[in-house]
Amino acid sequence: MNYVFPPSALTGVPIVAASALFPVRRVFCVGRNYADHAREMGALDQADGREPPFFFSKPGDAVVAGSGEIVVNYPPQTNNLHHEVELVVALGAGGANLAVDAANKLIFGYAVGLDLTRRDLQAKAKEKGHPWDMGKGFDHSAVLGEITPVAQCGYLERGRIWLTVNGQLKQDGDLSSMMWKIPEIIANLSTFVRLEAGDLIYTGTPAGVGPLLRGDVMTGGVDGIAGFSARMV
Ligand code: MN
């Protein structure tokens, strides 16, 4: 194939105990998937009942990944950058209109990441009924640690998820508190778009989101898989 200029390279995510990288295609995110976070965002109605999941996305090249300390650039146009620690599902196969009991087959592995959010821009967008894109989909907005293959850790349904900032525990929840479980998320999303290998799904954040500043060091983890360490510059 001939292009008028070289096509941009895919973002590669390191995999535990492997030399090959996971090539990122798209990044999907689930909104308000833990009741305690929905409450802290003032979305009480969603917290009380199980409304259908909703999704937003980030560009694939918004991912900043690594197995050592990940260096994250503080984004422009915000005075209120928030951390949201999330379990991230990495897909190794594709499919559309999947049944819930067929959805797990798409999972290549899991990682821990941050859905970084320019909360001030997101709040303004919500107020005006505008898209969330500029609050959510900026450069380095999808922080991601190493992927642990499902062959190594099994399918995750429960386990602690946490984030520390400068050594202080800020978010501390459990995967079992997700309102929409991982196979349900995959199945539902696959009715809107055909999922493909290389897609990442950020599965929502527990309570405790808050602001980050340049110089902050973040450590995120989920029981049973590799975590991440990142520094904001
Ligand atoms: Mn999120």
Side-chain angles (χ1 to χ4, degrees):
M1 189 80 76
N2 253 348
Y3 295 103
V4 292
F5 51 82
S8 34
L10 290 177
T11 304
V13 182
I15 298 166
V16 171
S19 55
L21 300 175
F22 179 92
V24 175
R25 189 167 185 269
R26 295 172 294 185
V27 179
F28 297 103
C29 305
V30 184
R32 297 181 203 124
N33 200 28
Y34 291 77
D36 56 356
H37 172 63
R39 277 189 205 100
E40 76 180 349
M41 295 304 291
L44 289 169
D45 47 338
Q46 284 89 348
D48 293 340
R50 212 166 79 125
E51 295 203 346
F54 71 92
F55 301 97
F56 58 91
S57 54
K58 301 180 186 243
D61 63 5
V63 173
V64 56
S67 47
E69 187 180 68
I70 303 163
V71 177
V72 183
N73 293 328
Y74 194 94
Q77 294 275 9
T78 185
N79 292 306
N80 196 18
L81 178 72
H82 271 204
H83 55 74
E84 297 188 357
V85 69
E86 309 201 0
L87 176 70
V88 182
V89 179
L91 301 187
N97 296 312
L98 297 160
V100 171
D101 61 8
N104 271 346
K105 287 187 203 133
L106 269 56
I107 300 176
F108 173 83
Y110 305 94
V112 189
L114 290 175
D115 162 17
L116 291 179
T117 303
R118 293 191 281 210
R119 195 70 77 199
D120 39 5
L121 297 195
Q122 185 200 29
K124 205 174 290 174
K126 281 184 187 174
E127 182 189 306
K128 293 182 179 282
H130 288 169
W132 287 12
D133 298 47
M134 292 301 111
K136 286 289 195 179
F138 48 91
D139 300 336
H140 283 195
S141 60
V143 178
L144 195 61
E146 275 184 299
I147 295 171
T148 302
V150 77
Q152 211 170 302
C153 61
Y155 293 111
L156 299 184
E157 290 174 4
R158 58 189 61 78
R160 190 174 171 231
I161 176 168
W162 73 92
L163 179 78
T164 69
V165 179
N166 303 325
Q168 278 196 312
L169 188 63
K170 295 287 187 183
Q171 294 189 260
D172 193 7
D174 196 282
L175 302 181
S176 62
S177 305
M178 285 187 193
M179 289 191 274
W180 290 91
K181 308 305 174 192
I182 291 163
E184 293 176 324
I185 291 167
I186 295 171
N188 188 282
L189 182 56
S190 81
T191 69
F192 290 98
V193 292
R194 187 188 162 78
L195 295 170
E196 298 292 353
D199 289 341
L200 298 173
I201 306 173
Y202 282 62
T203 58
T205 194
V209 302
L212 292 169
L213 298 171
R214 284 188 182 86
D216 283 347
V217 173
M218 297 80 76
T219 306
V222 166
D223 280 346
I225 63 171
F228 73 84
S229 164
R231 186 164 45 93
M232 188 66 63
V233 299

